[in-house]
Amino acid sequence: MNRVFHIASYAAGQAALLLTTGAVASARAAEPQGVSIQVPGFTMHGDSASWMIVVLLTMLTLLPALLLSMTPFVRILVIFHFLRQALGTQTAPSNQTLIGLSLFMTYFLMQPVAFAVNQQALQPLEKGAITSWEALDRGSGPVRQFMLQYTREKDLALFVDMGHEPRPKQPEDLPMRIVIPAYILSELKTGFQIGAILFLPFLVIDMVTASVTTSIGMMQLPPVVISTPLKILLFVVADGWNLVVGSMLKSFH
C-alpha cells in the first residue's frame, strides 16, 4: 500500500514538473521581444522607447508654460494685476477669474495665428505630405511673425549678443531661442507701462482723499477706507472693464 502511495506521489510530482516547465516555456514564447513605438519622424525600439516616453512627458509638462510665454497672456495678466492693485481690491476679482479671462482673451487674439498654423503645417502633416520636422518648421513661422511684431529691437539685440549669434539680414531669420525671451521681455515692459498709466487716476483719488481727511482732522480713519469705494464707484461708472479690455485688444492690432 505504501509502495503504491509512493508511486502515485512520484507520478504526480513529475506531472506537476512537466506542467510548470511547459507554462514557463509558453510564457517565454509569448513574451514580447522588444517594444516598438512609432512617432511621426521617429521609430523607437526597446529601452530607447522608454527614454523617449519620459522626454515626451517632460515636454508636455513644459508645453503650457511655453505656449503662454509665446502669446499675449503675459501682457494681459500683468495689466490685470496692476489694475487690481490700483483699485485697492486685493482679492477681487480672484486670481482664477483673471487667469480665465486672460486665457480667453489670449485665445481670441491668437485664433488667426492658430488658423495659419493649421493651414500651413497641421493639414499637410495629416495628409502625409510633409514630415513632423517640416511641420514644426512651418508652424513656427506664423508664431515667430506674431511675436516679432511686438518685440523691441533692443531686446532682440540683447539675446543675439549674449548668444553670440551672427547679425541676421532680417528678424525672420532669428531662431526661436532668441525670439521667445526677447518677446517676453518686451511684453513685460509693455504691461508695466500700461499698468503705470492705469495707476495714475486712482493715485490722484488716493492723494485727494488723504489731503481732505488730513485737513479736516480725520486722523483715526485711514484714507484707504474712504478712497477704495470711491475708486470702485468711478471705475464702474466709467465702464472700466470695457475700456481696459478694449484698449488691450486694440494694442494688438
Side-chain angles (χ1 to χ4, degrees), residues 69-229:
S69 300
M70 298 164 60
T71 59
F73 181 82
V74 176
R75 181 195 301 191
I76 296 172
L77 193 60
V78 168
I79 293 173
F80 281 154
H81 173 75
F82 275 104
L83 176 61
R84 187 172 62 179
Q85 294 293 323
L87 286 172
T89 56
Q90 301 298 324
T91 58
S94 62
N95 291 331
Q96 291 83 354
T97 303
L98 294 182
I99 292 175
L101 180 57
S102 301
L103 285 174
F104 278 103
M105 290 181 61
T106 302
Y107 168 75
F108 178 81
L109 292 169
M110 294 297 294
Q111 189 174 7
V113 180
F115 179 79
V117 172
N118 181 53
Q119 293 289 330
Q120 299 178 18
L122 295 182
Q123 290 189 4
L125 179 62
E126 291 178 355
K127 297 177 181 178
I130 58 176
T131 63
S132 58
W133 286 111
E134 292 176 344
L136 182 63
D137 183 63
R138 290 189 182 185
S140 62
V143 180
R144 181 189 291 108
Q145 184 178 2
F146 173 83
M147 290 190 293
L148 287 174
Q149 293 179 359
Y150 308 104
T151 306
R152 300 185 305 165
E153 293 184 2
K154 182 178 180 180
D155 296 328
L156 289 173
L158 171 64
F159 286 98
V160 168
D161 294 337
M162 297 301 296
H164 303 288
E165 293 282 344
R167 293 281 180 173
K169 295 181 180 180
Q170 53 186 358
E172 288 75 13
D173 298 332
L174 289 171
M176 294 295 283
R177 74 183 189 96
I178 301 294
V179 177
I180 293 176
Y183 171 76
I184 296 174
L185 284 184
S186 300
E187 288 295 279
L188 287 175
K189 178 179 176 60
T190 305
F192 272 73
Q193 288 177 339
I194 299 176
I197 295 174
L198 286 175
F199 249 105
L200 293 178
F202 301 107
L203 180 61
V204 171
I205 295 177
D206 287 332
M207 294 176 62
V208 172
T209 304
S211 300
V212 172
T213 55
T214 303
S215 62
I216 62 179
M218 297 179 60
M219 309 300 293
Q220 71 280 4
L221 186 64
V224 179
V225 177
I226 302 176
S227 63
T228 300

Side-chain angles (χ1 to χ4, degrees), residues 18-33:
L18 289 174
L19 290 175
T20 305
T21 306
V24 172
S26 300
R28 289 180 177 177
E31 183 179 356
Q33 299 299 322

